Amino acid sequence: MPSRARGGLPASASIAEKVQALLDSKELTLYRVSQESSQLYGRSSPYFLPHNLYYDLRAGLFRPSIHQVAALSRISGYRVADWLRVFGFDLEDITRLQVLLPSKRTIVLDTSLTDPNEWIPWLDNRHDGTSIPSIAPLGKLLKEVTARQISSLKDPRAPRFLYVKVGREDALAFPDLLPGSIVRVNPDIVDSTYREDSPISDRIFLVEHSKGFCCCHIRILDNGAIVPFDNGLRHAQVELHRPQEAKLWGTVDFEFRPLLRPEEPAVPKDLARHWKPQPLSTHEDFGQLLKTTRRRRNLSVRDAARMSRTVAQVLKDDRYMTSPSSFSDYELRNAAPRDFHKIVTLCSVYGLQFESAMRRIGVDLADAGAESMPGRHLSGSEPPVKVKSAAGDVVRTGFLEKLLAQCQDIPFFLHHALEYFSGSAQVSLDDFFWVGGEDDPLHPYLAKGLVALVNRRRKTPLHFVSKPFWQQPIYVVLKRDGMYLAACCGVENATLVVHPYGLDFHSTAEYRNRQDAEVVGQIVAIARRLP
């Protein structure tokens, strides 16, 4: 699914003209808006909207602050996210950057910024009457149809999940979870079960403590304290007392695992040595929030400045770049930047939740407007083609419906971050394979797997004898009989040798390369349920 175009405003319409058109749609004049902002907040307030706003916008010397955008939203009734898009900002960039930027420590992604009014390409079943094979290209099972609005695809009764990116320095559940994996957390399950032969929990939990978040198995002691279990990585064993020093956010039940460049976890000194837990802080001002979050992510201000350069490169705008001194000033002076470019950078680099950051700044989004702007004012808010609405009301039980039932939730925020998994901005339906029918997979990562993303340009299989199974590339192979298999493999003397790493015993299989079998491509990501 290609990302929405992010080219900004059309050249034929200035920002000032768009603002005027939007206010006209609500029968508002700029003078009246200025007067209302003065009555609501006061003329000396950062929320105040000047009566010469159009002139300043046309001159190109002014962009409203987040306070002024919130005032526009409250007075007009239109959403803050829509007003930000009018001024050239897309809140979904924050989530996309949180996924793309390297992360030393585990962070909770801000998935609340997905625009429910966005139109995305959608799929439907191919009605060919055939049974579903164990492994098959999704293009043989599904077909692309007209676009659907995200809001029409969300079930309001479905459970709400958190999504987390596993850090490199606190990947305590390795190799069950890899550094860089995006995992789903079910907040409705916070109890623990144990194996009969071990006091360690069967489930993997998202745990918060004073040094940040981690996904791990846990031990519960007799006094009620919990100890994160690290699978032998030599992290310090620290007792955490709930709820003062630790919080269980839920159970990890799904993983989106990147395999293109698998990272080996590291154990930093501050987590290897025994450390004293501190109470979880909840009442922090903006500066304290930045300082606490940066330390939790094990970042220096210079690290943050380097990451801001990456943000500027991804968004193609140098205004997102932030200096180390500016990062220090935001923390020490407890003053939020006026320029919204810097707020996007802070939320992306520090892994902040946007609404939480706004509350610390003093902007209460609960008072903002909730009405969506007319689609003609916003790119990406209208369907690319005319949509037939009747088809969505038909209840069916095909492959697509069964796949969605197993997923339980569609992570729409990944729609703009597929490059993180594939290494390419161009991803199509033909690059995805169904792998959920394998009862006895040839690799542990394929157990409970549903969908794999395949780079079809990587057709030369490599098998590294000296590397562990989690670093071995996995390939999709098409056999002469038309069936597919997914496994580690390599070429030896014109023979394609399949090396199984399955949970059960499998012997090595050999095929005449490009005669009995050929490599379709390398699996670069897997979406799988956790066993």
Side-chain angles (χ1 to χ4, degrees):
M1 298 179 182
S3 298
R4 181 176 66 215
R6 298 171 183 269
L9 297 171
S12 60
S14 69
I15 295 177
E17 290 167 342
K18 275 190 169 289
V19 174
Q20 185 174 6
L22 287 165
L23 295 183
D24 287 346
S25 70
K26 289 291 187 176
E27 298 183 351
L28 291 169
T29 64
L30 182 57
Y31 177 79
R32 180 179 168 188
V33 169
S34 179
Q35 290 294 103
E36 287 200 32
S37 69
S38 177
Q39 294 172 6
L40 288 170
Y41 306 106
R43 291 184 63 86
S44 60
S45 165
Y47 292 90
F48 176 69
L49 293 159
H51 65 275
N52 61 342
L53 177 65
Y54 293 152
Y55 174 83
D56 292 339
L57 290 175
R58 289 191 181 100
L61 302 175
F62 175 80
R63 286 291 185 275
S65 67
I66 186 60
H67 297 82
Q68 291 171 316
V69 171
L72 274 172
S73 174
R74 181 177 178 182
I75 295 169
S76 68
Y78 290 134
R79 301 184 310 159
V80 166
D82 290 345
W83 274 113
L84 286 170
R85 286 177 63 186
V86 167
F87 294 109
F89 300 101
D90 190 341
L91 286 180
E92 290 185 69
D93 282 331
I94 293 175
T95 314
R96 183 167 69 108
L97 287 162
Q98 289 175 351
V99 173
L100 292 176
L101 292 173
S103 183
K104 294 181 181 180
R105 301 290 170 88
T106 298
I107 63 169
V108 177
L109 302 173
D110 190 353
T111 60
S112 66
L113 303 178
T114 300
D115 185 2
N117 297 321
E118 182 180 354
W119 293 85
I120 63 170
W122 194 237
L123 306 169
D124 197 1
N125 298 302
R126 287 191 182 276
H127 302 285
D128 56 5
T130 59
S131 60
I132 301 173
S134 58
I135 299 177
L138 277 188
K140 289 189 175 181
L141 303 173
L142 301 173
K143 60 182 178 181
E144 293 189 25
V145 292
T146 50
R148 294 280 298 275
Q149 216 166 11
I150 288 179
S151 58
S152 69
L153 299 170
K154 280 185 169 291
D155 184 354
R157 300 166 297 178
R160 300 179 66 87
F161 296 98
L162 301 173
Y163 288 87
V164 175
K165 182 178 179 181
V166 179
R168 181 169 56 88
E169 296 181 347
D170 54 8
L172 277 69
F174 176 84
D176 296 331
L177 302 177
L178 285 187
S181 286
I182 308 298
V183 300
R184 188 179 73 186
V185 177
N186 187 342
D188 294 331
I189 303 178
V190 293
D191 65 314
S192 178
T193 57
Y194 295 89
R195 297 187 295 270
E196 294 181 359
D197 59 342
S198 173
I200 308 302
S201 65
D202 282 335
R203 297 188 175 112
I204 297 175
F205 290 89
L206 174 62
V207 180
E208 182 185 8
H209 50 71
S210 58
K211 284 188 174 289
F213 293 91
C214 63
C215 295
C216 60
H217 298 279
I218 61 172
R219 287 191 294 127
I220 298 182
L221 306 182
D222 293 338
N223 59 1
I226 64 172
V227 178
F229 180 73
D230 73 347
N231 283 357
L233 292 176
R234 298 186 179 179
H235 288 79
Q237 301 293 294
V238 178
E239 292 186 16
L240 303 171
H241 296 271
R242 293 188 294 164
Q244 302 90 349
E245 298 171 348
K247 178 180 178 180
L248 295 182
W249 282 81
T251 304
V252 178
D253 66 357
F254 208 95
E255 179 189 21
F256 300 89
R257 176 176 291 225
L259 299 175
L260 192 58
R261 289 176 293 272
E263 284 189 283
E264 187 168 4
V267 182
K269 290 182 180 180
D270 67 317
L271 295 181
R273 294 193 296 258
H274 192 277
W275 49 276
K276 183 178 180 180
Q278 300 296 323
L280 295 175
S281 58
T282 54
H283 306 289
E284 296 177 311
D285 58 32
F286 185 67
Q288 291 171 333
L289 174 67
L290 294 181
K291 186 175 182 179
T292 300
T293 306
R294 179 176 58 78
R295 289 182 172 178
R296 278 181 159 198
R297 297 204 63 186
N298 194 21
L299 294 174
S300 67
V301 291
R302 292 188 181 276
D303 293 333
R306 281 193 291 270
M307 293 173 70
S308 76
R309 289 196 288 272
T310 304
V311 172
Q313 291 170 1
V314 172
L315 299 182
K316 297 180 175 59
D317 192 333
D318 289 342
R319 287 175 292 183
Y320 291 97
M321 197 179 303
T322 308
S323 66
S325 60
S326 295
F327 279 110
S328 296
D329 286 346
Y330 300 147
E331 294 182 11
L332 298 176
R333 297 182 181 180
N334 188 31
R338 186 191 184 284
D339 188 349
F340 194 74
H341 295 88
K342 309 302 183 186
I343 293 178
V344 170
T345 298
L346 286 171
C347 290
S348 303
V349 171
Y350 285 17
L352 301 176
Q353 302 290 304
F354 177 72
E355 287 198 18
S356 177
M358 291 301 98
R359 283 196 300 271
R360 302 304 204 287
I361 291 173
V363 178
D364 189 359
L365 298 180
D367 294 332
E371 182 182 347
S372 298
M373 284 183 180
R376 64 182 180 275
H377 294 293
L378 299 172
S379 61
S381 295
E382 291 185 316
V385 294
K386 190 172 182 180
V387 180
K388 297 179 181 179
S389 58
D393 300 330
V394 180
V395 178
R396 293 172 298 177
T397 57
F399 171 76
L400 178 62
E401 290 71 32
K402 293 178 181 178
L403 177 61
L404 295 179
Q406 292 187 68
C407 293
Q408 293 185 280
D409 183 60
I410 307 174
F412 290 107
F413 71 96
L414 291 179
H415 172 56
H416 297 303
L418 288 176
E419 184 178 355
Y420 173 72
F421 296 95
S422 67
S424 171
Q426 303 298 323
V427 179
S428 69
L429 181 62
D430 293 332
D431 297 319
F432 292 91
F433 275 69
W434 158 254
V435 294
E438 282 282 353
D439 295 328
D440 189 14
L442 300 176
H443 196 285
Y445 293 170
L446 297 171
K448 299 289 184 179
L450 293 180
V451 176
L453 178 59
V454 176
N455 186 331
R456 292 178 292 132
R457 294 178 296 277
R458 293 174 173 248
K459 295 181 179 292
T460 302
L462 299 173
H463 184 262
F464 303 95
V465 177
S466 60
K467 289 186 177 182
F469 77 92
W470 63 270
Q471 284 186 319
Q472 297 288 352
I474 309 173
Y475 300 90
V476 172
V477 176
L478 174 61
K479 297 188 293 184
R480 177 185 286 182
D481 60 5
M483 301 298 290
Y484 293 87
L485 64 85
C488 301
C489 54
V491 175
E492 301 176 12
N493 299 323
T495 300
L496 183 66
V497 181
V498 174
H499 300 272
Y501 289 87
L503 303 178
D504 298 323
F505 175 78
H506 292 278
S507 59
T508 301
E510 297 183 357
Y511 302 90
R512 288 179 298 172
N513 191 30
R514 299 180 181 175
Q515 296 184 49
D516 296 332
E518 64 176 339
V519 174
V520 175
Q522 180 182 341
I523 295 178
V524 294
I526 296 176
R528 67 184 193 120
R529 297 164 295 169
L530 291 187

